[in-house]
Amino acid sequence: MSTLVEFPCSLPTLPISPETDASTIAAAFAQQLAFLEEDHFVRDAVWRDIFALTGTLRTFYSASSIFTAWQETTKRAKTGSFVLDQSSPHIMSLPQGSSWIEIRFSFETNAVPQTKCTGIMNLIPGSDGKWRIWVFRSILEQLKSENNVDVLEPTSKIVNGLTDEHQELSHFDCVIIGGGMAGLSTAGRMKALGISYVVLDKMQKIGDNWKTRYSSAKLHTGREYSHLPFERTFTPQYQEFLSKDDLAEGYQTWASRFDINIWLETTPISGKWNSEKETWTLELLRHGKNQTISCSNIVVAGGAGGQVPKMPIYLNKESFRGIILHSADYKDASQWKGKHGVVIGTANTAHDVAVDMVESGLSSVTMVQRSKTYVLPVEHNLKIFDVSYNATTSTTTADRTTQTQPVAILDLISQAILHDSARKEPERFDALERAGFKLDRWGSIQKYLYARGGGHYVDVGGSDMISKGMIKIKSNAVPTGYVENGLAFSDGTQLKADVIVFATGFDGNMRYIVQEIFGDEVATSMGDYWGLDREGELNGAFKPGGHPAMWYHGGMIGLSRFYSRFIALQVKARLLKTPLLIYERKF
């Protein structure tokens, strides 16, 4: 059972013979799609709906709850035209023995708004010999009679140096605050659906949200996972693990290719909602000058990492004669050659900084570990990612496979695969523990990503430096204060330091962005961003919040790319005066 949700769910236990004819089983089951009964589901089945029938993101647990919700939502949506994807049935297996048959299908809804949808079913055999649904997914694809949210052709027609869409407007259907991966992806989707929009970004250039980071910053996930919508942004000429400069270049090229309407060096100062006119008014500072615009909808795309640095306070800071900075202000360690470096934290950024210090020739580098850390070898991670995100599978297909999975099931599957990989090379982790590194050896990467919003390390080389003693670990005590030449700890020891970098993360709750711009009332209605609710859905993200015309958007690269399509579809439906109908019933 996954610890990320309050409901029971599990991996299949009965084996499936490799000789099983998946297509025959799928064909027989597909005939039942329009007439599903409770007995078609295993007792602890899971159904995740992605805007197709619930108008939002919902995950249902148990055959009885699923059957009730399915009956009620399909009836009001007037579902029909269920069609099996004949090429889709195949057997999937995990290292510990779990297996299932995966089937894909399409269907339509004929209520208002009329939509096109797809679905994914995972079937498993029961002890009675009957095949039943273990995991069920339903996905909103398109609004009927509207443009395809997944298709946008590059711009070729330029008039007076601008496309027609980029004529200076004072009112937009949607304003997107933030021009990183989430904001750009949303803008492209808006343009695909014919929605007038503008992206507001405080940076001087597109991609500066990456370009301005520390010199060694790079992704710890593969290149094929990193594309923006509509195309493979990062061609094979790019390295496998994209650097900050690669990302900035790719974002700039993509935005130019699709002629994204973005106002740079622009900061929203304040905003107000007129409920009678259903309109937002925004006061901006654009290139140093005040400007007022209005819009019908707002997407707050502040990103997953957050913008407000978190930094613990230790006593006697004034006594320390060295340098103190947060990783937000860190660039590189070249100026500290021969000095003693200390990094507070042991997650991704902390490792990047520590490795950079070693490679820059500091005389000593020590990481201060305050809690256990989950370490995921990058090659283990790529074993999972590369199955879907590769040169032969379209990003659109890969996203459907990976980004729609119920988080509790994703948690169980990833633990089965990653723990199996970890068991095969115990010395790698034993060496870390001998060096004093406190491991969450059998941890859950999904917990770190979705519940905690970070705190793990995808190992791209830092662990080997720790095991070899090139990076020291201080994990048996916590800092209590500064001394003249370093830090004092709770065990009475002191650690010499000339420079201390706090890689202690950021506050990623976009509620504070909303509060700063729109005030307490709107922020309270929108609520918090990130972390999991009791069903395993992200709080606040991608779906209707407490305000009818505002959305939060951000997260890991895949989430930012994929869920931008659903925000655009929701905005389009609202503009058409046919908003998606929310299914409110709780179980």
Side-chain angles (χ1 to χ4, degrees), residues 8 14 178 198 279 334 347 370 387 409 413 419 427 465 480 509:
L14 292 181
V198 65
T279 300
S334 58
R370 300 169 298 163
V387 171
I409 299 300
I413 291 174
H419 291 180
E427 173 56 24
M465 287 189 175
T480 56
N509 193 343

Side-chain angles (χ1 to χ4, degrees), residues 47-60 138-139:
W47 169 33
R48 186 174 188 226
D49 181 73
I50 299 99
F51 297 96
L53 297 171
T54 64
T56 184
L57 290 163
R58 293 290 305 275
T59 303
F60 305 97
S138 46
I139 307 156

Side-chain angles (χ1 to χ4, degrees), residues 137-154:
R137 291 175 264 175
S138 46
I139 307 156
L140 172 64
E141 293 294 345
Q142 309 293 340
L143 301 174
K144 286 185 182 178
S145 303
E146 298 299 327
N147 293 343
N148 189 327
V149 72
D150 297 316
V151 175
L152 182 62
E153 296 299 324

